[in-house]
Amino acid sequence: MSEFKKKVVKYVYSDSLLYFIDKNPAITGRSKLVHELIKSYGLLGKLPVIPPRICSSAELAQFHSSDYLSALKSGHELEEFGLGYDCPIWDGIFDYCKIVGGSTLAASFDLCRKQSDIVINWFGGWHHSQKDKAGGYCYVNDIVLGIMLMLKVFKRVLYIDIDVHHGDGVEGAFETSNRVFTLSFHQHEPGFFPGSGNSTSTGFASGKESHLEY
């Protein structure tokens, strides 16, 4: 019988990451609670920590439009970019976006180098942000940035979304790609945010049927 190989599991964290994440009004206090639970269960001693990177504007621009990034930098609520209502502006929001994007890029980079088998990033997963618009408290789509990095190394990527809301931003980014399979499990009914992701949404062109929703 072959010897079981222990998986290398790592955790993305830094005090500054926790500080900036808690500025998002959608999850104020939630990330700190999760981190404290991880500490209280004694898991920090078992999980090597990966510090987040600070994402550059150029790295954010690999997915997000220059006009949208300029709107974020302006610090003003601009409805045409989704900035306002469920995506309010606060001081330091662009720094927040850079560290959120950098946290998932750090995780993806470690996986690409095959330094770990699993990387946990409780601070990422902002799946509603579009190329040129914020939505659902999501300002930067760290998931898309991470997948784009992983596609430089891996032939295909499977993205599984188990949030109650449809992962519309990630699906939209790869709906014409046959290298990314997006599988979203979410609630879908009239009036439920974001109102997309029905059973006929299966991609376009070469991405046809590389995307499933349930």
Side-chain angles (χ1 to χ4, degrees):
M1 181 181 294
S2 59
E3 185 178 346
F4 176 76
K5 185 186 176 212
K6 187 176 181 181
K7 298 288 186 182
V8 178
V9 182
K10 297 182 181 179
Y11 173 53
V12 178
Y13 178 77
S14 74
D15 290 342
S16 58
L17 176 58
L18 182 60
Y19 168 79
F20 278 106
I21 287 293
D22 266 356
K23 284 183 170 290
N24 189 326
I27 60 164
T28 300
R30 189 173 72 187
S31 296
K32 183 176 181 180
L33 175 61
V34 171
H35 182 67
E36 291 300 319
L37 283 171
I38 291 171
K39 278 203 312 185
S40 66
Y41 284 123
L43 295 176
L44 285 183
K46 302 178 184 298
L47 293 173
V49 171
I50 299 174
R53 295 173 48 193
I54 303 299
C55 205
S56 68
S57 295
E59 287 173 316
L60 291 175
Q62 289 180 19
F63 174 60
H64 293 288
S65 71
S66 58
D67 286 345
Y68 175 62
L69 294 178
S70 295
L72 279 173
K73 289 178 184 177
S74 75
H76 299 295
E77 293 194 347
L78 300 167
E79 288 294 339
E80 62 266 37
F81 295 105
L83 299 174
Y85 185 54
D86 64 349
C87 288
I89 291 291
W90 67 82
D91 289 340
I93 193 167
F94 198 65
D95 289 330
Y96 161 88
C97 291
K98 289 193 292 184
I99 199 165
V100 167
S103 67
T104 296
L105 284 178
S108 297
F109 186 68
D110 206 71
L111 291 168
C112 288
R113 294 180 63 198
K114 299 183 179 178
Q115 299 296 308
S116 55
D117 298 296
I118 299 170
V119 180
I120 301 168
N121 180 18
W122 287 116
F123 307 96
W126 301 96
H127 59 177
H128 294 307
S129 179
Q130 309 284 336
K131 183 181 181 68
D132 55 3
K133 195 171 185 179
Y137 292 100
C138 301
Y139 299 85
V140 58
N141 203 313
D142 59 295
I143 303 166
V144 171
L145 296 175
I147 290 174
M148 290 174 71
L149 176 60
M150 294 178 75
L151 287 174
K152 295 179 180 180
V153 175
F154 301 106
K155 185 176 180 180
R156 298 199 74 194
V157 172
L158 168 63
Y159 169 71
I160 301 174
D161 190 320
I162 58 173
D163 190 278
V164 70
H165 302 101
H166 175 224
D168 55 335
V170 183
E171 180 185 291
F174 299 110
E175 61 187 356
T176 61
S177 172
N178 61 3
R179 296 185 62 199
V180 181
F181 188 106
T182 61
L183 177 60
S184 179
F185 296 89
H186 56 268
Q187 183 173 338
H188 182 265
E189 61 182 30
F192 191 78
F193 184 85
S196 56
N198 61 40
S199 59
T200 61
S201 299
T202 54
F204 299 97
S206 60
K208 186 72 174 171
E209 297 183 356
S210 288
H211 308 77
L212 295 177
E213 287 79 28
Y214 292 97

